[in-house]
Amino acid sequence: MFRKFDPSTDVSTSTQVKSSVVRSLKSQILDHHPCITEEQLNELLPKKAALVQYKVGPHLKLYCRHVVSDEDEDINHRGPYDEPVLFQHRDGPILPCLKLAHQYPTLSFQSVTVDSGAIPYLLGGANVMCPGLTNIGGAMPDDGQEVDAHGFEKPGLEKGAGVVIYAEGKEYAIAVGVMTMSSADVRSKNKGIAIELMHNLGDGLYQTEEI
C-alpha cells in the first residue's frame, strides 16, 4: 500500500482533527487492542497536541502528530512539522505506523509473529500466507480464551483485526496488516492469505519522517 508512497505527491488535503474524532480514534484503538491502557494512549496522543489528518488517495487517511520542535534540541527539524503515527484504509481498523510501534515498544498492539522464512517476502511487500504463521517460529494469540454472547469460543484474532507483525528472531516489528481470516481459520485451513499487508519496513511511509 505504501511501497511507493511519496508525501510530496501522494498527499492531498489536510485538516486538524476535532477532539471528538480523537476520542473516537482512541476508543477504537482501546477496543481492538485490549492490552493498551488509556494512560499509554494519552501519552501517545496528548490532549493538548494537535492531530492532523491527511488524505492519501480516495480511500486512505493518514493521522499525524503536529510537533513543534525546539531548533536548539532537534537539529533534524526546523520549526513545526507533522509526524505520521496512525492510518486507516476505508472503514478498516486504525493501524499504527511502524515507527510508532518502534518508538513505543511497550504499547501492546495485537500482534503475530511470522517464521524466518517469510521475512524476505514481507520486506518485499507480499501478504502473509497461513504457513508463515503456523510453521515453527510463527505465532498467533491462542483461540478459545474467551466466549461470545452465545457461549461459542472466540478466536484469538477476528477476521478484519489489525495486527503488528513481528518476525522470528527479530526484536522489532517488520510490518502492519489486517487479518483476512480469523486465527482459528488460519490454523484449521493453513492455506491462502492470512494477513493483507498494509505497511512494511523500508516502504515509502517508513521512510517518511514528516509531512
Side-chain angles (χ1 to χ4, degrees):
M1 178 172 290
F2 290 104
R3 186 175 182 181
K4 297 182 179 180
F5 174 72
D6 183 345
S8 65
T9 57
D10 295 336
V11 170
S12 55
T13 59
S14 67
T15 55
Q16 184 165 329
V17 180
K18 296 180 179 179
S19 57
S20 59
V21 177
V22 174
R23 288 195 296 270
S24 176
L25 290 174
K26 288 182 176 180
S27 177
Q28 290 181 61
I29 294 172
L30 291 172
D31 286 345
H32 289 94
H33 305 277
C35 290
I36 294 178
T37 67
E38 190 169 352
E39 290 74 17
Q40 288 176 317
L41 206 50
N42 287 335
E43 179 183 349
L44 170 64
L45 300 173
K47 291 182 179 180
K48 294 183 179 180
L51 191 67
V52 182
Q53 175 192 296
Y54 286 89
K55 288 192 67 177
V56 181
H59 305 301
L60 186 63
K61 290 176 282 189
L62 183 61
Y63 295 98
C64 300
R65 289 188 297 200
H66 185 67
V67 180
V68 180
S69 64
D70 187 329
E71 294 186 9
D72 293 330
E73 296 181 1
D74 190 348
I75 61 174
N76 295 317
H77 301 283
R78 300 298 181 185
Y81 62 96
D82 292 335
E83 174 191 21
V85 289
L86 303 167
F87 66 95
Q88 182 180 28
H89 183 240
R90 295 182 183 270
D91 294 324
I94 306 298
L95 299 170
C97 296
L98 265 179
K99 283 188 176 178
L100 178 77
H102 294 171
Q103 185 179 357
Y104 296 91
T106 58
L107 279 177
S108 299
F109 291 103
Q110 291 273 51
S111 65
V112 299
T113 299
V114 296
D115 70 343
S116 59
I119 295 175
Y121 297 100
L122 267 66
L123 296 182
N127 293 322
V128 179
M129 308 303 286
C130 289
L133 298 170
T134 58
N135 287 345
I136 295 174
M140 295 182 290
D142 292 333
D143 300 318
Q145 297 300 301
E146 297 181 15
V147 296
D148 61 21
H150 302 288
F152 294 104
E153 291 185 349
K154 296 173 66 175
L157 290 168
E158 300 278 1
K159 177 181 179 180
V163 290
V164 173
I165 305 168
Y166 290 82
E168 179 186 9
K170 303 298 181 182
E171 181 179 359
Y172 295 105
I174 65 169
V176 177
V178 176
M179 300 291 295
T180 62
M181 61 178 84
S182 71
S183 52
D185 286 341
V186 171
R187 289 185 169 101
S188 62
K189 296 178 180 178
N190 201 28
K191 63 180 180 178
I193 296 172
I195 302 174
E196 181 182 1
L197 201 75
M198 295 292 180
H199 168 35
N200 62 278
L201 202 66
D203 68 11
L205 178 57
Y206 187 79
Q207 296 179 51
T208 299
E209 295 284 347
E210 60 182 85
I211 303 293

